[in-house]
Amino acid sequence: MKFQAAAVLAATMAFAQPAVAQVAPTAPQTYPEMRERLPRNPLQGLRIEAMVGYDRLEGNYFEDNTKYYDGYDGIGYGGEIGYDFAVSRKVLLGAYAGIGKSTQKQCDPIFGGDQLCQKAGTAQYAGVRVGFPMGVRSQLYLRGGYSNAKLKLDYDAPGTELDFATNENYNGYHIGAGAEFGVGGGAYLKGDVAATQYMTKETLYDGVNFMRVQARVGIGVRF
């Protein structure tokens, strides 16, 4: 009987050992650390826009404490491309470049029947800007940079061979400010004002303060 009991006990232990081995706990499986994905700032990224508005070219100078000036107004229109990125929750930095045209044209009598006509040519500019978010999709910004403009000159002297036409090139700098208002889907409306100062050495306006003033509205899309 003792031998039988020992055999039963040994058999029971033999069958029980695999079962215990099968249900033994395993080491927990490890996974790569998951980082929280932050939402994209809707005010940053590539943008393109079209603008139209008031555009004035003016030349002025002082003599004997008196300011003399002349200028002509028109409608300016053009496009701009830029890129903005957030450097903090309250500040954005961006760069931009644009091109524009204008309806500005003015003709002045010189002497006799002679006439000099001036017409604004293509304007190009590039610069940097600093933006300040106002809510989730809107911002105020300040900007400044380089400007270039062409001025088409046409001199008409009836009955003579003195007629000529030429283009003058003006380089300068601009400063401006504006606001953008998001309307959804990456689209936004904007308003912008800017003043440009051109260098005039060896040009028609040599010795004259030659500048441009613009006030425009536009629509853009940010990608």
Side-chain angles (χ1 to χ4, degrees):
M1 291 294 294
K2 289 182 180 181
F3 290 105
Q4 290 179 350
V8 171
L9 180 60
T12 302
M13 292 181 64
F15 284 106
Q17 260 188 331
V20 172
Q22 290 175 3
V23 298
T26 58
Q29 187 174 358
T30 59
Y31 296 92
E33 182 181 355
M34 302 296 288
R35 294 184 178 181
E36 181 183 2
R37 185 174 181 178
L38 299 177
R40 178 179 177 273
N41 188 329
L43 292 175
Q44 66 179 7
L46 180 69
R47 61 182 175 84
I48 58 173
E49 57 193 42
M51 292 182 288
V52 64
Y54 173 73
D55 194 355
R56 177 177 175 81
L57 281 172
E58 179 181 302
N60 60 72
Y61 66 95
F62 284 89
E63 184 176 321
D64 298 330
N65 296 322
T66 302
K67 182 179 182 180
Y68 299 90
Y69 65 91
D70 189 20
Y72 43 106
D73 304 324
I75 302 298
Y77 53 93
E80 184 175 298
I81 185 171
Y83 190 92
D84 301 299
F85 62 94
V87 295
S88 72
R89 295 180 61 183
K90 297 183 178 181
V91 178
L92 295 134
L93 289 180
Y96 59 88
I99 188 170
K101 300 276 287 183
S102 179
T103 62
Q104 297 156 332
K105 183 177 181 179
Q106 177 170 297
C107 295
D108 298 301
I110 304 301
F111 56 85
D114 293 6
Q115 181 176 255
L116 176 64
C117 292
Q118 306 172 57
K119 183 178 181 181
T122 303
Q124 303 174 70
Y125 60 92
V128 294
R129 72 181 198 173
V130 181
F132 307 96
M134 305 291 291
V136 178
R137 296 182 179 274
S138 301
Q139 67 169 314
L140 302 176
Y141 63 83
L142 301 174
R143 66 186 182 95
Y146 164 79
S147 293
N148 172 270
K150 289 181 172 59
L151 188 64
K152 298 180 179 180
L153 304 177
D154 188 359
Y155 189 88
D156 183 21
T160 73
E161 297 181 357
L162 300 177
D163 295 359
F164 72 89
T166 186
N167 293 328
E168 287 196 334
N169 199 53
Y170 293 83
N171 295 310
Y173 63 90
H174 66 268
I175 57 174
E180 295 178 0
F181 308 93
V183 293
Y188 59 89
L189 303 176
K190 71 175 297 182
D192 183 278
V193 294
T196 304
Q197 182 70 56
Y198 294 111
M199 294 177 285
T200 59
K201 187 176 180 179
E202 298 181 355
T203 69
L204 174 68
Y205 287 96
D206 197 346
V208 175
N209 180 36
F210 189 44
M211 62 184 300
R212 174 177 240 137
V213 177
Q214 297 170 298
R216 301 175 295 174
V217 295
I219 184 170
V221 178
R222 183 172 278 106
F223 301 94

